[in-house]
Amino acid sequence: MEKRSRTFYLLGAFFVLFVLFLYGPIFTIGILSFQGPQGGLTFPMNGVSMHWFRDLFQEQAVGDIWGSFRRSFALGLMVMVTTVTVSVLGGLAFRKRFKGASVLFYLTIASLVIPSILVSLGVGLIFNQLGLPVHWASSGYGSQLTWTLPFGLLIMFAVFNRFDKSYEEAARDQGATAWQTFAHVVLPIIAPSLLGVALFGFTLSYDEFARTLLTAGSYNTLPLEIFGMTTNVTTPVIFALGTLTTIFSFLVIGVFFLLVWVMSRRKDTTSDAGKGMV
Amino acid sequence: MSRQLVAWIQAAPMAVVMLAFLVAPIAMIVIVSFWGATEYSIYPAFQFDNYQFLFGSPVTYTVFLNTFKYAAITWAFTLVIGFTVAYFLAFEVRSLKWQIGLFLVCTIPFWTSNIIRMISWIPFLGRNGLANSTLISWGVIDEPLEWLLFSDFSVILAFVHLYTLFMVVPIFNSMMRIDRALIEAAYDNGASAWQTLWHVIVPLCKPGIMIGTIFVTTLVMGDFITVRFMSGSQRANVGRLISNDIGLLQYPSASATAVVLLCTVLIVIALLLRLVDIRKEL
């Protein structure tokens, strides 16, 4: 192996520092959530215990953590499925030029960069004036889609920009219908990217705060619950909760990566492409 | 069915969501910004009171200025850090496997909770936090530094922590598309490493830098939660102005501020978009 330059080591050190900067704080609260029962929000550790985790699993003095977790989980799944479906359809639409395409494209980009509080406020106002109750599964769900769909669509753009059209042409030449071409040729090829869209859909929804703030109604999602806790909880129980939900996020991310890996392996080993002629 | 019709049907769900949850809410905000409010209710009207009050109050200008300050400082830090990290990944790491792996290491925090990531700074920055106790034990300072937490410093630190990724990703994307032959050509023609960086790589990364810039400035300008949490409610930006009004049920006044914020953000984006075509970059 050729020798590395000094720049490599300098930049490598910078990179390591950056990663420490990214992950350091979250690991710190991971450690601090094992504080002893008398421990506070910062070091030193006052003994080591599972006290604060146990606290979470007991009947809560503050809020409804498990209820809000269930709601966030359900909402995450709803948003995930919708994001994948709508983004794929949108991606397909944008491949054919259609009237209004650029308007829709700029709307989607606007949806991404617009201050989140505007979505929250506007949706809240509309529901109020229409006399509809705000609820996480209606107004909250819609508001979150304005955050996840742009990511989904942008990923689909990236996917289809790199997509080799000759596969589709080959399928059509062999007499496949439009639906068959999509289901048996396009979809299997883009499937790993769809997992990426799903990952964005779920995690962005699960952690969404600003757009859900005024649109979730009286039943909080988990991030709202956690934010509520920051104002009135001064014990490491909030660290324990933060640690658990971060571990949950890591697990979700891990599952998605695992699925992508399994899929790409299957494609490598079980495909009979190229063998037909032998 | 014609291609056009199929495309419309496929685009319809996206369009419906955008109309119902983006266009309609903004229209609603614009309408309500002309309404009036009593202490506990709002009533339809067409008056400019909210705007008059907004532009008549010196607080507004201070807060807008503060918002721009946060955006500018955060932009500078995220750009320098993001560019350096992306450069390391794109040009110094040589195998694709490692590039992807390390890139994912940078992106994973993006899929975790922002609020938890903010909370996790408390043990570091607090009066008795890690930073202070380390500095004291090293003898750098005698007294704990008070400005570490609940200050502009902690606000910007959190912004940089949360949003640097939005610089890394587009710049890395731009860098990966640079034809390596161009860099060799620069070296062959006698350019130094700095000259290559400045005259070859940076210009070719401009689209990525622009996209990152749009992300970071709009996220920071629209933020209200980071400023509130990391400053312990001691600093203000436009987002907090809006959320305070919402807390007081002064929706018309909140709407007026929101409209002005939206216009400001759109102007900033329009200026930036003149410099790059996003769709070509994906």
Side-chain angles (χ1 to χ4, degrees):
Chain A
M1 193 160 168
E2 69 183 294
K3 216 173 143 258
R4 297 287 197 176
S5 67
R6 212 180 53 190
T7 330
F8 172 80
Y9 290 105
L10 271 174
L11 289 174
F14 185 87
F15 183 80
V16 170
L17 282 178
F18 177 68
V19 171
L20 275 180
F21 171 66
L22 276 185
Y23 289 89
I26 199 75
F27 280 111
T28 320
I29 68 159
I31 296 168
L32 282 170
S33 55
F34 290 99
Q35 273 280 23
Q38 309 299 323
L41 282 175
T42 182
F43 287 105
M45 295 287 282
N46 206 328
V48 176
S49 77
M50 295 288 285
H51 178 86
W52 304 107
F53 289 99
R54 227 173 293 130
D55 225 37
L56 273 184
F57 285 89
Q58 272 154 12
E59 208 43 51
Q60 268 109 48
V62 277
D64 174 21
I65 292 166
W66 296 102
S68 62
F69 170 75
R70 275 194 299 276
R71 286 188 283 277
S72 275
F73 190 77
L75 183 56
L77 291 179
M78 284 162 63
V79 170
M80 177 182 88
V81 172
T82 316
T83 304
V84 172
T85 319
V86 174
S87 304
V88 171
L89 287 173
L92 289 171
F94 274 99
R95 294 180 77 198
K96 322 174 178 80
R97 285 156 214 287
F98 62 96
K99 264 202 196 111
S102 63
V103 175
L104 186 58
F105 175 74
Y106 281 112
L107 266 184
T108 316
I109 296 298
S111 179
L112 193 61
V113 295
I114 189 177
S116 298
I117 195 167
L118 265 78
V119 176
S120 222
L121 174 62
V123 173
L125 281 172
I126 288 183
F127 272 69
N128 265 331
Q129 292 301 315
L130 293 178
L132 299 168
V134 280
H135 191 276
W136 57 269
S138 58
S139 48
Y141 165 73
S143 306
Q144 291 197 342
L145 286 178
T146 63
W147 177 232
T148 58
L149 284 181
F151 284 102
L153 188 68
L154 290 180
I155 297 174
M156 291 322 295
F157 274 162
V159 169
F160 283 131
N161 277 355
R162 289 169 177 74
F163 191 84
D164 188 349
K165 280 191 175 154
S166 50
Y167 289 120
E168 281 167 290
E169 275 157 28
R172 263 196 299 272
D173 288 349
Q174 313 261 336
T177 62
W179 169 251
Q180 284 172 327
T181 311
F182 174 74
H184 299 295
V185 179
V186 179
L187 198 57
I189 295 176
I190 63 171
S193 318
L194 295 193
L195 281 173
V197 177
L199 173 65
F200 272 83
F202 183 82
T203 57
L204 293 187
S205 159
Y206 179 74
D207 297 321
E208 217 294 320
F209 178 82
R211 294 183 195 221
T212 331
L213 181 63
L214 299 173
T215 56
S218 35
Y219 295 104
N220 276 346
T221 59
L222 190 60
L224 296 176
E225 196 72 27
I226 293 174
F227 187 73
M229 285 176 73
T230 60
T231 52
N232 55 26
V233 176
T234 50
T235 61
V237 72
I238 195 162
F239 291 160
L241 179 56
T243 306
L244 277 189
T245 173
T246 304
I247 289 174
F248 176 76
S249 292
F250 283 161
L251 282 179
V252 169
I253 297 164
V255 166
F256 275 105
F257 283 153
L258 198 71
L259 284 174
V260 171
W261 182 72
V262 168
M263 260 179 153
S264 61
R265 257 177 59 111
R266 271 235 314 258
K267 203 158 56 184
D268 291 344
T269 53
T270 62
S271 167
D272 57 357
K275 290 179 190 150
M277 301 301 289
V278 183
Chain B
M1 264 194 292
S2 77
R3 262 171 94 73
Q4 181 82 178
L5 192 63
V6 175
W8 271 335
I9 294 172
Q10 287 170 336
M14 183 77 79
V16 167
V17 174
M18 290 305 152
L19 285 176
F21 290 95
L22 183 75
V23 178
I26 291 172
M28 190 70 191
I29 288 176
V30 174
I31 294 169
V32 172
S33 72
F34 294 104
W35 287 14
T38 64
E39 251 170 67
Y40 18 67
S41 70
I42 58 176
Y43 58 87
F46 186 71
Q47 52 190 29
F48 289 86
D49 296 24
N50 302 309
Y51 290 101
Q52 240 160 26
F53 181 78
L54 188 66
F55 287 111
S57 156
V59 176
T60 310
Y61 299 97
T62 327
V63 167
F64 265 90
L65 203 68
N66 210 25
T67 306
F68 281 119
K69 185 185 81 183
Y70 284 145
I73 299 176
T74 308
W75 173 75
F77 276 105
T78 52
L79 176 60
V80 172
I81 298 172
F83 188 91
T84 315
V85 168
Y87 182 90
F88 173 75
L89 290 177
F91 294 111
E92 295 289 342
V93 178
R94 284 176 197 158
S95 86
L96 187 65
K97 245 186 195 152
W98 274 98
Q99 279 178 328
I100 295 174
L102 294 178
F103 178 73
L104 286 177
V105 166
C106 296
T107 41
I108 283 171
F110 171 63
W111 294 311
T112 65
S113 165
N114 276 6
I115 291 181
I116 301 290
R117 292 174 70 195
M118 282 182 231
I119 292 173
S120 64
W121 278 107
I122 290 176
F124 262 94
L125 301 177
R127 207 170 180 285
N128 305 310
L130 275 182
N132 270 327
S133 50
T134 313
L135 288 175
I136 289 175
S137 73
W138 285 352
V140 181
I141 49 172
D142 304 322
E143 297 261 300
L145 299 172
E146 299 286 351
W147 51 263
L148 285 181
L149 191 58
F150 303 143
S151 61
D152 280 345
F153 172 80
S154 56
V155 170
I156 287 166
L157 182 79
F159 276 141
V160 173
H161 186 227
L162 295 175
Y163 299 144
T164 299
L165 174 78
F166 287 93
M167 279 289 187
V168 175
V169 173
I171 296 177
F172 178 70
N173 180 42
S174 289
M175 283 178 175
M176 291 301 274
R177 295 158 151 239
I178 295 176
D179 187 349
R180 303 296 138 132
L182 291 174
I183 293 163
E184 281 196 22
Y187 280 122
D188 288 349
N189 282 299
S192 70
W194 279 109
Q195 283 172 323
T196 312
L197 179 69
W198 193 248
H199 295 290
V200 180
I201 298 175
V202 169
L204 288 171
C205 288
K206 226 183 219 162
I209 293 173
M210 277 305 151
I211 295 175
T213 303
I214 291 175
F215 264 119
V216 170
T217 46
T218 53
L219 282 168
V220 173
M221 287 182 69
D223 170 89
F224 64 101
I225 202 67
T226 313
V227 174
R228 175 169 158 194
F229 188 78
M230 295 307 289
S231 79
S233 298
Q234 292 175 44
R235 296 287 187 282
N237 69 344
V238 184
R240 280 207 63 206
L241 216 56
I242 299 172
S243 77
N244 284 351
D245 275 342
I246 292 172
L248 298 168
L249 304 182
Q250 298 297 309
Y251 294 116
S253 153
S255 298
T257 316
V259 170
V260 177
L261 173 65
L262 181 63
C263 293
T264 318
V265 170
L266 289 181
I267 290 169
V268 171
I269 295 172
L271 291 176
L272 292 171
L273 272 184
R274 301 198 74 127
L275 304 167
V276 62
D277 180 359
I278 293 184
R279 273 178 84 171
K280 274 197 207 140
E281 299 307 321
L282 295 162

